[in-house]
Coordinates of all heavy atoms in Angstrom, one line a residue:
D174 N -12.1 -15.7 2.0 CA -12.2 -16.1 0.5 C -10.8 -15.8 -0.1 O -9.8 -16.2 0.3 CB -13.3 -15.4 -0.1 CG -13.7 -16.0 -1.5 OD1 -13.2 -17.1 -1.8 OD2 -14.4 -15.4 -2.2
N175 N -10.8 -15.1 -1.2 CA -9.6 -14.8 -1.9 C -9.0 -13.4 -1.7 O -8.2 -12.9 -2.4 CB -9.7 -15.0 -3.4 CG -10.8 -14.1 -4.0 OD1 -11.4 -13.4 -3.3 ND2 -11.0 -14.3 -5.3
S176 N -9.6 -12.7 -0.7 CA -9.2 -11.3 -0.4 C -7.8 -11.4 0.4 O -7.4 -12.4 0.9 CB -10.2 -10.6 0.5 OG -10.2 -11.1 1.8
G177 N -7.2 -10.2 0.5 CA -6.0 -10.1 1.3 C -6.2 -9.7 2.7 O -5.2 -9.5 3.5
L178 N -7.5 -9.5 3.1 CA -7.8 -9.0 4.4 C -7.5 -10.1 5.5 O -7.7 -11.3 5.3 CB -9.3 -8.7 4.5 CG -9.7 -7.4 3.8 CD1 -11.2 -7.3 3.8 CD2 -9.1 -6.2 4.4
P179 N -7.0 -9.7 6.6 CA -6.9 -10.6 7.7 C -8.2 -11.0 8.3 O -9.1 -10.1 8.3 CB -6.0 -9.9 8.8 CG -6.2 -8.5 8.5 CD -6.5 -8.4 7.0
I180 N -8.4 -12.2 8.7 CA -9.7 -12.6 9.3 C -10.1 -11.8 10.5 O -11.3 -11.5 10.7 CB -9.7 -14.1 9.6 CG1 -11.2 -14.6 9.9 CG2 -8.7 -14.5 10.7 CD1 -12.1 -14.5 8.8
S181 N -9.1 -11.3 11.2 CA -9.4 -10.5 12.4 C -10.2 -9.2 12.0 O -11.0 -8.7 12.8 CB -8.1 -10.1 13.1 OG -7.2 -9.4 12.3
R182 N -9.9 -8.7 10.8 CA -10.6 -7.5 10.3 C -12.0 -7.7 10.1 O -12.9 -6.9 10.4 CB -9.9 -6.9 9.1 CG -10.5 -5.6 8.6 CD -10.3 -4.5 9.5 NE -11.1 -3.3 9.1 CZ -12.3 -3.0 9.5 NH1 -12.9 -3.8 10.3 NH2 -12.9 -1.9 9.1
I183 N -12.3 -8.9 9.5 CA -13.7 -9.3 9.2 C -14.4 -9.5 10.6 O -15.6 -9.0 10.7 CB -13.7 -10.6 8.4 CG1 -12.9 -10.6 7.2 CG2 -15.2 -11.0 8.1 CD1 -13.3 -9.6 6.2
Y184 N -13.8 -10.1 11.5 CA -14.4 -10.2 12.9 C -14.7 -8.9 13.5 O -15.8 -8.7 14.1 CB -13.4 -11.0 13.8 CG -13.6 -12.5 13.8 CD1 -13.3 -13.3 12.7 CD2 -14.1 -13.2 14.9 CE1 -13.5 -14.6 12.6 CE2 -14.3 -14.5 14.9 CZ -14.0 -15.3 13.8 OH -14.2 -16.6 13.8
E185 N -13.8 -7.9 13.4 CA -14.0 -6.6 14.0 C -15.3 -6.0 13.4 O -16.1 -5.4 14.1 CB -12.8 -5.7 13.8 CG -11.6 -6.1 14.6 CD -10.3 -5.4 14.1 OE1 -10.4 -4.6 13.1 OE2 -9.2 -5.7 14.6
E186 N -15.4 -6.1 12.1 CA -16.6 -5.5 11.4 C -17.9 -6.2 11.8 O -18.9 -5.6 12.1 CB -16.4 -5.5 9.9 CG -17.4 -4.6 9.2 CD -17.2 -3.1 9.4 OE1 -16.1 -2.7 9.8 OE2 -18.2 -2.4 9.3
A187 N -17.8 -7.5 11.8 CA -19.0 -8.3 12.2 C -19.4 -8.1 13.6 O -20.6 -7.9 13.9 CB -18.6 -9.8 12.0
A188 N -18.4 -8.0 14.5 CA -18.8 -7.7 15.9 C -19.5 -6.3 16.1 O -20.5 -6.2 16.9 CB -17.5 -7.7 16.8
A189 N -19.0 -5.3 15.4 CA -19.7 -4.0 15.4 C -21.1 -4.1 14.9 O -22.0 -3.5 15.5 CB -18.8 -3.0 14.6
L190 N -21.3 -4.8 13.8 CA -22.6 -4.9 13.2 C -23.6 -5.7 14.1 O -24.8 -5.4 14.1 CB -22.6 -5.6 11.8 CG -21.9 -4.8 10.7 CD1 -21.7 -5.7 9.5 CD2 -22.8 -3.6 10.3
L191 N -23.1 -6.6 14.8 CA -23.9 -7.5 15.7 C -24.0 -6.9 17.1 O -24.7 -7.5 18.0 CB -23.4 -8.9 15.7 CG -23.4 -9.7 14.4 CD1 -22.7 -11.0 14.5 CD2 -24.9 -9.9 14.0
H192 N -23.3 -5.8 17.4 CA -23.2 -5.2 18.8 C -22.7 -6.3 19.8 O -23.3 -6.4 20.9 CB -24.6 -4.7 19.1 CG -25.2 -3.7 18.1 ND1 -24.6 -2.5 17.9 CD2 -26.2 -3.9 17.3 CE1 -25.3 -1.9 17.0 NE2 -26.3 -2.7 16.6
L193 N -21.7 -7.0 19.4 CA -21.1 -8.0 20.3 C -19.6 -7.6 20.5 O -19.0 -6.9 19.7 CB -21.1 -9.4 19.7 CG -22.4 -10.1 19.5 CD1 -22.2 -11.3 18.7 CD2 -23.0 -10.4 20.9
S194 N -19.1 -8.0 21.7 CA -17.6 -7.8 21.9 C -16.9 -8.8 21.0 O -17.5 -9.8 20.5 CB -17.3 -8.1 23.3 OG -17.4 -9.5 23.6
L195 N -15.7 -8.5 20.7 CA -14.9 -9.5 19.8 C -14.8 -10.8 20.5 O -14.9 -11.9 19.8 CB -13.5 -8.9 19.6 CG -12.7 -9.5 18.4 CD1 -13.4 -9.4 17.1 CD2 -11.3 -8.8 18.3
D196 N -14.6 -10.9 21.8 CA -14.5 -12.1 22.5 C -15.8 -12.9 22.4 O -15.7 -14.1 22.2 CB -14.2 -11.9 24.0 CG -12.7 -11.4 24.2 OD1 -11.9 -11.6 23.3 OD2 -12.4 -10.9 25.3
D197 N -16.9 -12.3 22.6 CA -18.2 -13.0 22.5 C -18.4 -13.5 21.1 O -18.9 -14.6 20.9 CB -19.3 -12.0 22.9 CG -19.4 -11.8 24.4 OD1 -18.8 -12.6 25.1 OD2 -20.1 -10.9 24.8
L198 N -18.0 -12.7 20.1 CA -18.2 -13.2 18.7 C -17.3 -14.4 18.4 O -17.7 -15.3 17.8 CB -17.8 -12.0 17.7 CG -17.9 -12.4 16.2 CD1 -19.4 -12.8 15.9 CD2 -17.5 -11.3 15.3
E199 N -16.1 -14.4 18.9 CA -15.2 -15.5 18.8 C -15.8 -16.8 19.3 O -15.8 -17.9 18.8 CB -13.9 -15.3 19.4 CG -13.0 -14.3 18.7 CD -11.6 -14.2 19.4 OE1 -11.0 -15.2 19.7 OE2 -11.2 -13.0 19.6
I200 N -16.5 -16.7 20.5 CA -17.2 -17.8 21.1 C -18.3 -18.3 20.2 O -18.4 -19.5 20.0 CB -17.7 -17.4 22.5 CG1 -16.5 -17.2 23.5 CG2 -18.6 -18.5 23.1 CD1 -16.9 -16.5 24.8
E201 N -19.1 -17.4 19.7 CA -20.2 -17.8 18.8 C -19.7 -18.4 17.6 O -20.3 -19.4 17.1 CB -21.1 -16.6 18.5 CG -21.8 -16.0 19.7 CD -22.7 -16.9 20.4 OE1 -23.4 -17.7 19.7 OE2 -22.8 -16.9 21.6
M202 N -18.6 -17.9 17.0 CA -18.2 -18.5 15.7 C -17.6 -19.9 15.9 O -17.7 -20.8 15.1 CB -17.1 -17.6 15.1 CG -17.7 -16.2 14.6 SD -19.0 -16.4 13.4 CE -20.5 -16.2 14.4
K203 N -17.0 -20.1 17.1 CA -16.4 -21.4 17.4 C -17.6 -22.4 17.5 O -17.5 -23.6 17.0 CB -15.5 -21.4 18.6 CG -14.9 -22.8 18.9 CD -13.9 -22.7 20.0 CE -13.2 -24.1 20.1 NZ -12.2 -24.1 21.2
K204 N -18.6 -22.0 18.2 CA -19.8 -22.9 18.3 C -20.3 -23.3 16.9 O -20.6 -24.5 16.7 CB -20.9 -22.2 19.1 CG -20.7 -22.0 20.6 CD -21.9 -21.3 21.2 CE -21.7 -20.9 22.6 NZ -22.8 -20.1 23.1

C-alpha cells in the first residue's frame, strides 16, 4: 500500500503466521 516497508518483510511475517516456508508462500502468492 503506501507504507515504506519492503514487500519481502510482509512475506516473511505472512509465512510465519501461515507456518509456510518463504519459498512455498511465494509459490502460493503467484498462483
Side-chain angles (χ1 to χ4, degrees):
D174 194 15
N175 59 359
S176 75
L178 288 171
I180 189 64
S181 57
R182 181 67 187 91
I183 307 297
Y184 268 69
E185 289 167 2
E186 193 66 26
L190 289 170
L191 295 172
H192 306 290
L193 291 173
S194 70
L195 197 56
D196 287 344
D197 285 344
L198 180 61
E199 286 183 47
I200 291 170
E201 294 300 323
M202 293 303 99
K203 186 172 182 181
K204 288 180 186 176

